[in-house]
Short mmCIF file of all heavy atoms in Angstrom, two decimals:
data_model
loop_
_atom_site.label_atom_id
_atom_site.label_comp_id
_atom_site.label_asym_id
_atom_site.label_seq_id
_atom_site.Cartn_x
_atom_site.Cartn_y
_atom_site.Cartn_z
N PRO A 1 11.06 2.32 5.37
CA PRO A 1 9.94 3.15 5.84
C PRO A 1 9.49 4.18 4.79
O PRO A 1 8.31 4.43 4.64
CB PRO A 1 10.51 3.82 7.09
CG PRO A 1 11.56 2.88 7.58
CD PRO A 1 12.18 2.31 6.33
N ASN A 9 0.76 6.71 0.73
CA ASN A 9 0.39 8.06 0.34
C ASN A 9 -0.21 8.07 -1.06
O ASN A 9 -1.22 8.74 -1.33
CB ASN A 9 1.60 8.98 0.43
CG ASN A 9 1.25 10.43 0.18
OD1 ASN A 9 1.19 10.88 -0.94
ND2 ASN A 9 1.03 11.17 1.26
N ALA A 15 -7.22 6.93 -4.36
CA ALA A 15 -8.61 6.81 -3.91
C ALA A 15 -9.32 8.16 -3.98
O ALA A 15 -10.47 8.27 -4.43
CB ALA A 15 -8.65 6.25 -2.49
N SER A 45 -24.04 19.50 -3.91
CA SER A 45 -23.05 18.47 -4.27
C SER A 45 -21.68 19.10 -4.49
O SER A 45 -20.67 18.59 -3.99
CB SER A 45 -23.50 17.75 -5.54
OG SER A 45 -22.52 16.83 -5.98
N PHE A 57 -6.63 17.57 1.08
CA PHE A 57 -5.40 18.35 0.95
C PHE A 57 -4.78 18.64 2.32
O PHE A 57 -3.55 18.63 2.47
CB PHE A 57 -5.67 19.66 0.19
CG PHE A 57 -5.99 19.47 -1.26
CD1 PHE A 57 -7.06 20.13 -1.84
CD2 PHE A 57 -5.23 18.61 -2.05
CE1 PHE A 57 -7.37 19.95 -3.18
CE2 PHE A 57 -5.52 18.42 -3.39
CZ PHE A 57 -6.60 19.09 -3.96
N SER A 73 9.04 16.57 -0.94
CA SER A 73 7.68 16.76 -1.45
C SER A 73 7.22 18.21 -1.30
O SER A 73 6.02 18.49 -1.19
CB SER A 73 6.70 15.84 -0.71
OG SER A 73 7.12 14.51 -0.77
N ALA A 83 -4.33 25.36 -2.86
CA ALA A 83 -5.67 24.78 -2.98
C ALA A 83 -6.49 25.00 -1.71
O ALA A 83 -7.67 25.38 -1.78
CB ALA A 83 -5.57 23.28 -3.28
N ALA A 86 -7.55 28.70 -1.32
CA ALA A 86 -8.59 29.07 -2.29
C ALA A 86 -9.91 28.41 -1.93
O ALA A 86 -10.97 29.07 -1.93
CB ALA A 86 -8.15 28.66 -3.69
N VAL A 108 -9.77 13.52 -12.46
CA VAL A 108 -9.93 12.46 -13.45
C VAL A 108 -8.59 12.17 -14.10
O VAL A 108 -8.19 11.02 -14.29
CB VAL A 108 -10.98 12.85 -14.52
CG1 VAL A 108 -11.09 11.75 -15.57
CG2 VAL A 108 -12.33 13.13 -13.88
N ILE A 111 -6.13 10.24 -11.81
CA ILE A 111 -6.30 8.78 -11.69
C ILE A 111 -5.20 8.09 -12.49
O ILE A 111 -4.52 7.17 -12.00
CB ILE A 111 -7.68 8.35 -12.20
CG1 ILE A 111 -8.80 8.90 -11.30
CG2 ILE A 111 -7.77 6.82 -12.29
CD1 ILE A 111 -10.20 8.70 -11.85
N LEU A 118 2.39 4.51 -9.62
CA LEU A 118 2.32 3.21 -8.95
C LEU A 118 2.98 2.12 -9.80
O LEU A 118 3.66 1.23 -9.27
CB LEU A 118 0.87 2.85 -8.65
CG LEU A 118 0.18 3.69 -7.56
CD1 LEU A 118 -1.32 3.39 -7.53
CD2 LEU A 118 0.80 3.41 -6.19
N MET A 121 6.73 2.47 -9.48
CA MET A 121 7.23 2.03 -8.18
C MET A 121 7.17 0.53 -8.01
O MET A 121 7.95 -0.05 -7.27
CB MET A 121 6.43 2.69 -7.05
CG MET A 121 6.82 4.12 -6.78
SD MET A 121 5.99 4.73 -5.31
CE MET A 121 6.59 3.59 -4.08
N ALA A 132 0.15 1.82 -22.68
CA ALA A 132 -1.26 2.18 -22.88
C ALA A 132 -1.67 3.30 -21.93
O ALA A 132 -2.33 4.27 -22.33
CB ALA A 132 -2.13 0.95 -22.66
N ASN A 137 -3.12 8.76 -20.28
CA ASN A 137 -2.76 9.82 -19.35
C ASN A 137 -2.57 11.15 -20.08
O ASN A 137 -3.01 12.20 -19.61
CB ASN A 137 -1.47 9.43 -18.61
CG ASN A 137 -1.05 10.46 -17.58
OD1 ASN A 137 -1.89 11.05 -16.90
ND2 ASN A 137 0.25 10.68 -17.47
N ILE A 143 -7.65 16.98 -21.60
CA ILE A 143 -9.09 17.18 -21.44
C ILE A 143 -9.46 17.69 -20.05
O ILE A 143 -10.26 18.63 -19.92
CB ILE A 143 -9.84 15.87 -21.73
CG1 ILE A 143 -9.65 15.45 -23.19
CG2 ILE A 143 -11.34 16.02 -21.42
CD1 ILE A 143 -10.24 14.09 -23.51
N VAL A 150 -7.18 26.41 -18.72
CA VAL A 150 -7.13 27.48 -19.72
C VAL A 150 -8.46 28.25 -19.74
O VAL A 150 -8.47 29.49 -19.77
CB VAL A 150 -6.83 26.90 -21.11
CG1 VAL A 150 -7.05 27.96 -22.20
CG2 VAL A 150 -5.41 26.38 -21.17
N TRP A 154 -8.92 32.22 -18.71
CA TRP A 154 -9.53 33.17 -19.65
C TRP A 154 -10.75 33.84 -19.02
O TRP A 154 -10.94 35.05 -19.14
CB TRP A 154 -9.92 32.44 -20.93
CG TRP A 154 -10.77 33.27 -21.85
CD1 TRP A 154 -10.35 34.21 -22.74
CD2 TRP A 154 -12.20 33.24 -21.93
NE1 TRP A 154 -11.43 34.77 -23.38
CE2 TRP A 154 -12.59 34.20 -22.90
CE3 TRP A 154 -13.19 32.50 -21.29
CZ2 TRP A 154 -13.91 34.42 -23.24
CZ3 TRP A 154 -14.52 32.72 -21.62
CH2 TRP A 154 -14.87 33.68 -22.59
N TYR A 155 -11.58 33.06 -18.34
CA TYR A 155 -12.80 33.59 -17.74
C TYR A 155 -12.48 34.65 -16.69
O TYR A 155 -13.11 35.71 -16.65
CB TYR A 155 -13.61 32.45 -17.12
CG TYR A 155 -14.90 32.91 -16.47
CD1 TYR A 155 -16.07 33.01 -17.21
CD2 TYR A 155 -14.94 33.25 -15.11
CE1 TYR A 155 -17.26 33.43 -16.62
CE2 TYR A 155 -16.12 33.68 -14.53
CZ TYR A 155 -17.26 33.77 -15.28
OH TYR A 155 -18.42 34.21 -14.69
N TYR A 159 -13.83 38.28 -17.32
CA TYR A 159 -15.11 38.65 -16.70
C TYR A 159 -15.06 38.99 -15.22
O TYR A 159 -15.98 39.63 -14.71
CB TYR A 159 -16.11 37.49 -16.88
CG TYR A 159 -16.51 37.25 -18.31
CD1 TYR A 159 -16.07 36.11 -18.99
CD2 TYR A 159 -17.30 38.16 -19.01
CE1 TYR A 159 -16.42 35.87 -20.31
CE2 TYR A 159 -17.66 37.93 -20.33
CZ TYR A 159 -17.22 36.79 -20.98
OH TYR A 159 -17.57 36.57 -22.28
N LEU A 169 -8.03 34.73 -6.13
CA LEU A 169 -8.21 33.51 -6.91
C LEU A 169 -7.51 33.58 -8.25
O LEU A 169 -6.97 32.58 -8.74
CB LEU A 169 -9.71 33.24 -7.10
CG LEU A 169 -10.51 32.94 -5.83
CD1 LEU A 169 -11.99 32.78 -6.14
CD2 LEU A 169 -9.97 31.69 -5.14
N MET A 179 2.70 26.02 -12.68
CA MET A 179 3.03 24.69 -12.17
C MET A 179 2.58 23.60 -13.13
O MET A 179 3.32 22.64 -13.40
CB MET A 179 2.36 24.48 -10.80
CG MET A 179 2.89 25.38 -9.70
SD MET A 179 2.06 25.12 -8.12
CE MET A 179 2.82 23.58 -7.61
N ILE A 180 1.38 23.74 -13.69
CA ILE A 180 0.86 22.72 -14.60
C ILE A 180 1.71 22.61 -15.85
O ILE A 180 1.99 21.52 -16.34
CB ILE A 180 -0.62 23.04 -14.95
CG1 ILE A 180 -1.52 22.67 -13.77
CG2 ILE A 180 -1.05 22.29 -16.20
CD1 ILE A 180 -2.98 23.00 -13.98
N TYR A 183 4.91 20.80 -14.92
CA TYR A 183 4.70 19.35 -14.77
C TYR A 183 4.47 18.69 -16.13
O TYR A 183 4.92 17.57 -16.37
CB TYR A 183 3.49 19.07 -13.87
CG TYR A 183 3.59 19.65 -12.49
CD1 TYR A 183 2.44 19.93 -11.75
CD2 TYR A 183 4.83 19.90 -11.90
CE1 TYR A 183 2.53 20.47 -10.47
CE2 TYR A 183 4.92 20.43 -10.64
CZ TYR A 183 3.77 20.72 -9.92
OH TYR A 183 3.85 21.25 -8.67
N SER A 185 5.71 19.62 -19.02
CA SER A 185 6.99 19.48 -19.72
C SER A 185 7.79 18.31 -19.15
O SER A 185 8.45 17.57 -19.90
CB SER A 185 7.81 20.78 -19.62
OG SER A 185 8.25 21.00 -18.28
#
Side-chain angles (χ1 to χ4, degrees):
N9 186 275
S45 175
F57 291 134
S73 306
V108 178
I111 294 171
L118 290 170
M121 282 188 60
N137 182 38
I143 296 174
V150 169
W154 170 82
Y155 180 88
Y159 294 109
L169 295 177
M179 294 179 75
I180 284 177
Y183 301 155
S185 69

